[in-house]
Amino acid sequence: SAVISQKPSRDICQRGTSLTIQCQVDSQVTMMFWYRQQPGQSLTLIATANQGSEATYESGFVIDKFPISRPNLTFSTLTVSNMSPEDSSIYLCSVADGSGYTFGSGTRLTVV
Amino acid sequence: SQKIEQNSEALNIQEGKTATLTCNYTNYSPAYLQWYRQDPGRGPVFLLLIRENEKEKRKERLKVTFDTTLKQSLFHITASQPADSATYLCALSGGGADGLTFGKGTHLIIQP
């Protein structure tokens, strides 16, 4: 199965700043998915990232707040922009992998 | 809107017994239902996938059932072990290249 390297694993950021999260996959994949997991909540899909086209965002998520890059078939970044304490969450990337999906280990973001 | 419900309370099971977790959903007609395991500080790990036209799927000590009439899946771990203690997530997808819709998960504790 695919192996995903996600970084940073955690960060503490000041409100109003931005953080870029990176995911590197050890194989080429068509689509990468970005999720948010707020404390005590389920994983929520933020957007789907295709190489060579703009990401598709789910209801409640916008490109200005969560810009995504997908420069090639093994790499993607998610930026959390103009952060507020409400953005404190775990952010995860994922790829479809055979029957199921493989996830990165997550980025635990705390905004102060 | 789509809704997935899992036991919100922690489930305590004696070692060696069978643990049964429930996933109910509404306003959804999934093509696939998947179960994941999530340990603290880690991303979800894929366990089993069952298709809408399948009733049951097994993998070693794991068994999943899927009743599209009841809109329910049951996830069984037989001969449970303390190492099975984790949060188990139910996830639905419409198939193809869709992202997943997750439940909040059930925290399973296997007592030695």
Side-chain angles (χ1 to χ4, degrees), chain A residues 31 33 35 37 42 99-101 104, chain B residues 36 38 43 49 97-100 103:
Chain A
M31 291 190 184
F33 303 90
Y35 292 85
Q37 188 173 27
S42 59
S99 293
Y101 291 70
Chain B
Y36 288 79
Q38 187 173 26
L49 176 149
D98 288 359
L100 297 172

Side-chain angles (χ1 to χ4, degrees), chain B residues 13-18 79-83 109-112:
Chain B
I13 300 292
Q14 198 70 31
E15 181 178 6
K17 303 291 186 183
T18 296
S80 58
Q81 306 165 0
I109 301 167
I110 306 298
Q111 306 277 7

Side-chain angles (χ1 to χ4, degrees), chain A residues 7-88:
Chain A
K7 55 184 179 182
S9 58
R10 59 179 62 231
D11 208 341
I12 300 173
C13 299
Q14 296 290 324
R15 66 178 68 201
T17 63
S18 298
L19 175 72
T20 296
I21 301 166
Q22 300 179 4
C23 274
Q24 178 76 50
V25 190
D26 69 344
S27 57
Q28 294 185 337
V29 293
T30 305
M31 291 190 184
M32 293 181 74
F33 303 90
W34 287 96
Y35 292 85
R36 179 175 73 183
Q37 188 173 27
Q38 294 177 303
Q41 301 298 314
S42 59
L43 281 81
T44 300
L45 181 64
I46 297 171
T48 302
N50 256 328
Q51 193 267 335
S53 63
E54 277 202 8
T56 302
Y57 289 82
E58 298 297 308
S59 176
F61 298 96
V62 295
I63 187 170
D64 289 346
K65 177 66 175 177
F66 298 101
I68 288 171
S69 78
R70 186 79 203 279
N72 57 54
L73 291 173
T74 64
F75 187 79
S76 179
T77 67
L78 170 78
T79 298
V80 186
S81 302
N82 188 24
M83 289 183 285
S84 66
E86 292 71 36
D87 294 320
S88 297

Side-chain angles (χ1 to χ4, degrees), chain B residues 3 31 45 81-83:
Chain B
K3 193 173 181 182
V45 174
Q81 306 165 0

